[in-house]
Amino acid sequence: MKQSITSKQKGLSSSTAAVISEALGQSELFLEFQERLSQVAPINRPVLLIGERGTGKELAAARLHYLSNRWQAPMVALNCAALSPSLIESELFGYEKGAFTGALQRRFGRFESADRGTLFLDEIGSIPMEVQEKILRVVEYNVFERVGSSESIEVDVRIIAATNADLNDLVRKNLFKPDLLDRLSFEVLFLPPLRERKEDITLLAGHFAGRMALELGRNEIPVFSDEAVESLEKHPWPGNIRELKNVIERAVYRSDAVTITDIDFHPFHSPYENPARPVSIKTPSIEMTPADANLRLNQPLKEAVWQLKVKMLEAALRKAKFNQKKAARILGLTYHQFRGLYRQYKTANDVTISV
Ligand SMILES: Nc1ncnc2c1ncn2[C@@H]1O[C@H](COP(=O)(O)OP(=O)(O)OP(=O)(O)O)[C@@H](O)[C@H]1O
Ligand SMILES: [Mg+2]
């Protein structure tokens, strides 16, 4: 595979350029996907990439470009969802001086910058209908006009589009042009979600962990405990590979040991949560008798919940022989959540527990 990255590749995010050679996977679904990608890459036709967030659409687009005959020409990307509908047209086609207020000088658009190369239209479902019409004309006749000009400009651009939206549904709702969809879908590649390629989870986790350790200047490659592997394989990964990468990088940086035991899937769970919030009690280590329940009706809920937390915290610490990491696991908390609770406990009781 061609890996040379040139400065001409403007528009391509640096993350893609940096990881161009790193589309990892060994599952059958992933290998099948890569095979279809390699097959269509050299064919001079549009490709539509469909997949959930974080499945690797941008990476796949970059691979399509570098495996095509256009690899030495620029790959230019435009995230259509990041721009207001009125800006998309001038970004794509450029404009002439004076075309609209603020157009102080002529500007080339992405189609011109991508001439002889590839234009990656990310989130294509966000493109307004009028602009779709203009894109269709480039796809069919290789010509367009800058905004504010009647001069036709000829370009040779291959379009790769990506979306997470249901484009056929957008067509039904009159939000997407059926003829553009027909032209873009010469080949449609579906990126498999991570939950469907469980075999790849540990492979990717090991890869991201190794890279993070290197970045942190650690001299040992991290490994995962059996429990950690099990939890990685059980997680549904709604954010797919991007989520996995973040989760693993966080676990590596937080772990003092080479063996990673704690995986924090939800960093937004506040350790300072409002004590009035209902707590889910996963660990049946403290039994609530009917008497206990009656007792709690005689005091404010906040106070009762706090007392329950204290009881469970003390019980978990005792059970874990005051090993805080173990206690966190017993309580079904991440170490950081546990530390937050423990700090609250210490402040409230002004106690010192030897750990
Ligand atoms: N097969 C893979 N091997 C290694 N890393 C991967 C792989 N697929 C994706 N990644 C990494 O996962 C992250 C997300 O990939 P990418 O940006 O291509 O996804 P996306 O589908 O475009 O996401 P979004 O829909 O949110 O834009 C990137 O850091 C990318 O390098
Ligand atoms: Mg993307």
Side-chain angles (χ1 to χ4, degrees), residues 281-320:
I281 303 163
K282 287 187 193 145
T283 318
S285 57
I286 291 182
E287 302 220 333
M288 291 259 283
T289 64
D292 276 341
N294 282 338
L295 185 73
R296 279 182 177 80
L297 286 180
N298 299 332
Q299 59 185 149
L301 181 67
K302 263 190 183 182
E303 213 172 286
V305 170
W306 175 245
Q307 282 178 11
L308 178 65
K309 281 188 175 180
V310 168
K311 263 188 168 185
M312 290 185 72
L313 180 90
E314 289 176 345
L317 276 169
R318 274 195 300 275
K319 192 168 175 191

Side-chain angles (χ1 to χ4, degrees), residues 206-207 209-211 213-214 218-224 252 257-260:
H207 166 74
R211 277 211 343 206
L214 194 72
R218 309 229 175 120
N219 40 25
E220 280 176 297
I221 303 223
V223 289
F224 295 91
V252 171
V258 177
T259 303
I260 295 172

Side-chain angles (χ1 to χ4, degrees), residues 9-214:
Q9 289 152 6
K10 52 192 168 200
L12 180 62
S13 85
S14 57
S15 62
T16 301
V19 296
I20 188 70
S21 59
E22 294 178 5
L24 297 178
Q26 59 192 10
S27 63
E28 213 168 295
L29 279 182
F30 178 77
L31 296 177
E32 234 171 66
F33 171 81
Q34 290 297 334
E35 203 179 303
R36 287 190 61 196
L37 184 148
S38 308
Q39 201 181 356
V40 75
I43 313 289
N44 200 19
R45 289 288 182 281
V47 176
L48 183 56
L49 297 167
I50 299 184
E52 294 172 13
R53 67 189 163 98
T55 42
K57 296 186 290 294
E58 188 169 341
L59 195 60
R63 285 179 68 83
L64 280 168
H65 174 70
Y66 290 107
L67 293 175
S68 78
N69 300 329
R70 297 170 176 266
W71 69 277
Q72 281 177 308
M75 164 151 175
V76 174
L78 183 71
N79 183 347
C80 306
L83 294 171
S84 67
S86 57
L87 271 181
I88 293 180
E89 183 178 8
S90 54
E91 274 299 321
L92 280 175
F93 301 105
Y95 51 80
E96 291 295 335
K97 182 177 173 180
F100 46 82
T101 326
L104 300 178
Q105 58 193 32
R106 170 188 284 172
R107 205 178 137 191
F108 293 152
R110 309 280 167 123
F111 267 104
E112 271 173 280
S113 309
D115 193 20
R116 307 175 77 80
T118 304
L119 179 61
F120 174 46
L121 296 178
D122 205 357
E123 309 282 1
I124 187 134
S126 320
I127 296 186
M129 288 289 256
E130 324 74 85
V131 184
Q132 290 176 26
E133 182 75 52
K134 222 167 151 176
I135 295 175
L136 180 61
R137 200 159 146 256
V138 194
V139 177
E140 298 212 300
Y141 305 110
N142 299 324
V143 288
F144 68 92
E145 290 85 37
R146 293 192 197 109
V147 177
S149 163
S150 53
E151 182 202 344
S152 292
I153 294 168
E154 207 172 323
V155 281
D156 167 20
V157 172
R158 181 195 197 186
I159 294 184
I160 295 172
T163 187
N164 187 11
D166 180 346
L167 292 181
N168 284 301
D169 190 43
L170 293 183
V171 167
R172 280 191 291 277
K173 291 177 177 153
N174 246 339
L175 294 169
F176 206 86
K177 285 185 71 62
D179 3 8
L180 180 60
L181 184 56
D182 285 344
R183 289 310 301 251
L184 292 182
S185 51
F186 170 77
E187 181 61 292
V188 183
L189 299 179
F190 290 87
L191 282 107
L194 194 53
R195 65 180 172 281
E196 300 290 335
R197 27 185 295 217
K198 291 217 182 298
E199 310 92 297
D200 292 340
I201 293 175
T202 39
L203 174 85
L204 287 161
H207 166 74
F208 293 134
R211 277 211 343 206
M212 186 62 178
L214 194 72

